[in-house]
């Protein structure tokens, strides 16, 4: 016999978990369906943090920021392709989402910066560790506390739709048995499609052969399921490559390393661009180098400010040396060039003026504390900005821009918020902000109908 719920949440990344928690708090009977054997989706790999402007934590640190500036910088970073209504909602609700997390025992109260932003507004855990693991473990505690049911190794194969209204989902479990779950609301939070090479290459043939930073569940199945019930899509060809990906492991080297003061150096031992520019631009500059790769170079002080750096050291792909010259030898780089590059950069830090590339942010401190470190990186497929269309209530829209009754979507499966280029720290903000909203609205609709 079919089981009955108010709200079915498809996918257990940050968007799905936030939605489920909020829907449960709104009084709905909720189930989370996850096709992988573990909870957390691609969110668990999120590195740098969550952007928000005008937060309590910024005020506590004396950081002056404005929602207006956050809006403008995100729009500029997205090449003015962002959906203005969704972006406005995103910026408005961001501080509330930071408080919602804090109220649920998930404090993101240390603050750093990412490329394309002019102010420290990327909220991360107090111990400066990567945000993904911290966020997912905090959300899972909240799921458990509320006894929300989670079905792992179970895929949603189809969204059921009758007379223009969503009625539930068909799921397939690990034994290939299928069954029906009835629900008035289905929240699709299935993430992006960076790990679906065929789909990526369909939209962007030049990305054939690029590694991806994403987990293998990032196939875009939610987009296809929603299209089947009439959903429209937007910006499907806007696919982000992240500039700093370790190629042997596909491990993302967090933007927080550059945000903490690291630089990028070519095989010739020279800086070649403003490291704090947006991801699209930094990636393009790396691809334009003859070797199509570059080194992230940093010192001990940068390492001490980033827990992620220790993770990279443990992985074994960080080259380290007691002097800059010895590091250059190990990197097969001209010793004099690398030493001269660091010396010149350090002068720019002293003056707070990057005469060569106009880097304006994260000129944190001179890179002069041994040991010195280098990580070889090149761009990798990281985020799909496109996806299904929603309105500001997270209702999925059809091609006439009309809500599909009972269908909700949040997170990377949605298109439009980030335009043509997503700013670092805006994905976590997106999934939490719109996850909460989807949970609230889906519950309210299900309980009223
Ligand atoms: P977001 O960041 O938007 O929350 P994530 O990538 O973190 O997205 O999480 C999406 C989750 O959805 C992943 O764990 C993925 O395995 C899961 N998922 C994708 N498609 C399906 C499906 N058809 N059925 C169940 N789970 C799915």
């Amino acid at each position: 016999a079919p089981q009955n719920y108010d709200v079915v949440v498809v996918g257990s990344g940050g968007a799905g978990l936030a939605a489920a928690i909020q829907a449960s708090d709104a009084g709905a009977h909720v189930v989370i369906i996850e096709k992988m054997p573990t909870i957390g989706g691609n969110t668990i790999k999120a590195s740098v943090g969550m952007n928000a402007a005008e937060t309590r934590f910024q005020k506590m640190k004396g950081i002056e920021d404005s929602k207006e500036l956050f809006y403008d910088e995100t729009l500029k970073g997205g090449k003015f392709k962002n959906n203005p209504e969704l972006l406005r909602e995103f910026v408005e609700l961001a501080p509330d989402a930071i408080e919602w997390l804090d109220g649920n025992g998930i404090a993101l109260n240390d603050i750093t910066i990412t490329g394309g932003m002019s102010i420290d507004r990327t909220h991360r855990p107090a111990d400066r560790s990567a945000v993904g693991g911290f966020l997912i473990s905090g959300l899972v505690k909240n799921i458990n506390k509320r006894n929300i049911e989670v079905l792992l190794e179970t895929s949603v194969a189809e969204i059921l739709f009758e007379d223009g209204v969503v009625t539930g989902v068909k799921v397939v479990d690990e034994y290939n048995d299928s069954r029906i779950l009835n629900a008035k609301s289905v929240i699709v939070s299935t993430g992006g499609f960076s790990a679906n090479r065929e789909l990526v290459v369909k939209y962007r043939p030049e990305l054939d052969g690029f590694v991806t930073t994403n987990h293998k569940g990032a196939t875009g199945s939610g987009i296809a399921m929603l299209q089947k019930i009439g959903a429209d899509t937007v910006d499907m060809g806007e696919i982000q490559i992240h500039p700093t990906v370790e190629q042997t492991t596909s491990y993302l080297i967090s933007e927080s390393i550059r945000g903490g003061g690291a630089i990028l150096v070519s095989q010739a031992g020279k800086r070649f661009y403003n490291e704090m520019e947006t991801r699209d631009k930094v990636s393009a500059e790396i691809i334009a180098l003859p070797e199509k790769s570059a080194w992230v170079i940093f010192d001990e002080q940068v390492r001490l400010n980033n827990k992620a750096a220790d993770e990279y050291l443990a992985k074994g792909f960080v080259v380290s040396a007691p002097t800059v010259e010895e590091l250059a030898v190990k990197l097969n780089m001209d010793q004099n060039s690398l030493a001269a590059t660091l010396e010149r950069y350090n002068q720019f830090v002293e003056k707070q003026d990057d005469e060569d590339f106009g880097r304006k942010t994260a000129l944190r401190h001179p890179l002069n504390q041994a040991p010195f470190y280098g990580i070889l990186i090149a761009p990798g497929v990281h985020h799909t900005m496109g996806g299904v269309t929603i309105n500001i209530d997270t209702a999925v829209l059809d091609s006439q821009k009309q809500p599909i009754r009972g269908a909700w979507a949040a997170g990377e499966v949605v298109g439009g918020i980030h335009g043509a280029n997503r700013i670092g720290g805006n994905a976590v903000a997106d999934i939490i902000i719109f996850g909460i909203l989807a949970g609230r609205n889906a519950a309210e609709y299900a309980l009223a109908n």
Side-chain angles (χ1 to χ4, degrees):
Q3 282 165 284
N4 299 314
Y5 297 92
D6 298 314
V7 177
V8 169
V9 175
V10 192
S12 71
L17 296 178
I21 292 165
Q22 184 60 46
S24 166
D25 287 355
H29 182 208
V30 183
V31 63
I32 301 171
I33 313 296
E34 170 56 56
K35 70 173 175 179
M36 302 298 282
T38 52
I39 292 188
N42 212 59
T43 302
I44 208 164
K45 301 180 108 188
S47 63
V48 64
M50 168 164 164
N51 290 338
E54 298 185 33
T55 67
R56 183 163 54 90
F57 297 133
Q58 279 181 316
K59 283 177 198 128
M60 280 164 63
K61 291 189 189 299
I63 298 167
E64 276 191 46
D65 197 0
S66 78
K67 290 175 177 173
E68 212 45 51
L69 190 61
F70 183 24
Y71 180 94
D72 290 345
E73 291 179 352
T74 300
L75 193 61
K76 179 162 179 261
K79 301 178 192 165
F80 301 92
K81 222 181 165 185
N82 319 54
N83 176 315
E85 274 191 314
L86 291 178
L87 182 58
R88 182 61 68 191
E89 192 76 353
F90 169 87
V91 162
E92 274 308 316
L93 296 180
D96 299 344
I98 292 278
E99 291 298 330
W100 183 92
L101 287 173
D102 190 54
N104 283 308
I106 305 166
L108 299 179
N109 54 9
D110 189 74
I111 308 178
T112 185
I113 196 165
T114 61
M117 302 274 99
S118 69
I119 289 181
D120 283 358
R121 61 168 71 103
T122 311
H123 295 64
R124 62 178 174 178
D127 70 356
R128 300 174 174 185
S129 58
V131 72
F134 179 82
L135 188 62
I136 292 298
S137 76
L139 290 170
V140 166
K141 275 186 201 144
N142 281 280
I143 294 289
N144 293 340
K145 204 160 88 184
R146 290 164 178 80
N147 277 317
I148 296 171
E149 197 180 344
V150 184
L151 304 178
L152 295 176
E153 290 184 271
T154 305
S155 288
V156 171
E158 197 183 333
I159 299 169
L160 304 175
F161 191 62
E162 277 168 42
D163 302 327
V165 180
V166 167
T167 60
V169 294
K170 180 172 139 190
V171 299
V172 180
D173 68 17
E174 71 260 50
Y175 309 107
N176 224 11
D177 287 334
S178 64
R179 63 204 159 97
I180 304 291
L181 309 183
N182 292 323
K184 294 263 164 52
S185 280
V186 174
I187 301 175
V188 178
S189 45
T190 47
F193 60 91
S194 287
N196 185 336
R197 171 157 304 191
E198 209 175 302
L199 207 51
V200 166
V201 172
K202 172 179 162 193
Y203 289 105
R204 296 279 298 279
E206 78 279 15
L207 295 179
D208 200 7
F210 277 60
V211 301
T212 180
T213 59
N214 280 215
H215 84 133
K216 69 177 199 294
T219 57
S221 66
I223 299 174
M225 284 191 293
L226 283 168
Q227 279 179 310
K228 255 183 104 175
I229 63 164
D232 199 7
T233 59
V234 66
D235 295 343
M236 288 294 283
E238 299 297 353
I239 296 173
Q240 177 169 76
I241 49 176
H242 191 292
T244 57
V245 181
E246 202 284 324
Q247 298 289 301
T248 62
T249 56
S250 301
Y251 220 73
L252 179 94
I253 306 307
S254 173
E255 220 163 315
S256 66
I257 304 292
R258 278 172 286 146
I263 59 173
L264 293 176
V265 169
S266 69
Q267 193 60 46
K270 297 204 166 80
R271 285 179 71 215
F272 53 91
Y273 198 56
N274 170 5
E275 295 86 352
M276 298 307 293
E277 255 296 356
T278 48
R279 291 172 173 181
D280 55 332
K281 293 183 184 164
V282 178
S283 294
E285 292 294 325
I286 295 169
I287 291 167
L289 292 170
E291 58 276 14
K292 296 186 173 14
S293 63
W295 295 91
V296 181
I297 302 288
F298 54 102
D299 73 346
E300 181 67 358
Q301 203 172 336
V302 174
R303 182 189 74 78
L304 289 172
N305 275 323
N306 267 290
K307 268 203 134 178
D310 290 340
E311 228 177 275
Y312 309 150
L313 278 156
K315 294 260 166 203
F317 49 61
V318 183
V319 183
S320 64
T323 66
V324 174
E325 288 72 15
E326 284 166 275
L327 184 66
V329 171
K330 284 187 169 175
L331 304 185
N332 225 345
M333 210 179 259
D334 184 86
Q335 292 183 42
N336 296 330
S337 311
L338 185 62
T341 294
L342 284 192
E343 209 167 294
R344 190 167 170 80
Y345 172 77
N346 290 347
Q347 285 168 10
F348 296 158
V349 173
E350 298 295 351
K351 290 191 289 195
Q352 287 293 298
D353 181 15
D354 174 8
E355 288 172 16
D356 289 344
F357 300 106
R359 170 166 168 167
K360 295 220 159 42
T361 58
L363 291 161
R364 300 253 183 225
H365 42 71
L367 298 173
N368 58 14
Q369 279 190 39
F372 296 89
Y373 303 97
I375 306 174
L376 184 64
I377 54 82
V381 176
H382 184 56
H383 188 94
T384 48
M385 274 78 70
V388 297
T389 53
I390 60 167
N391 65 16
I392 59 167
D393 298 324
T394 73
V396 177
L397 299 179
D398 66 16
S399 55
Q400 312 301 314
K401 300 199 175 353
Q402 294 307 307
I404 299 173
R405 285 172 62 83
W408 313 87
E412 197 176 342
V413 68
V414 170
I417 294 155
H418 307 290
N421 174 64
R422 180 177 64 77
I423 295 291
N426 274 0
V428 173
D430 177 4
I431 63 182
I432 300 302
I433 292 164
F434 289 105
I436 296 169
L437 209 55
R440 182 174 301 142
N441 292 333
E444 195 184 310
Y445 167 86
L447 296 173
N449 283 279

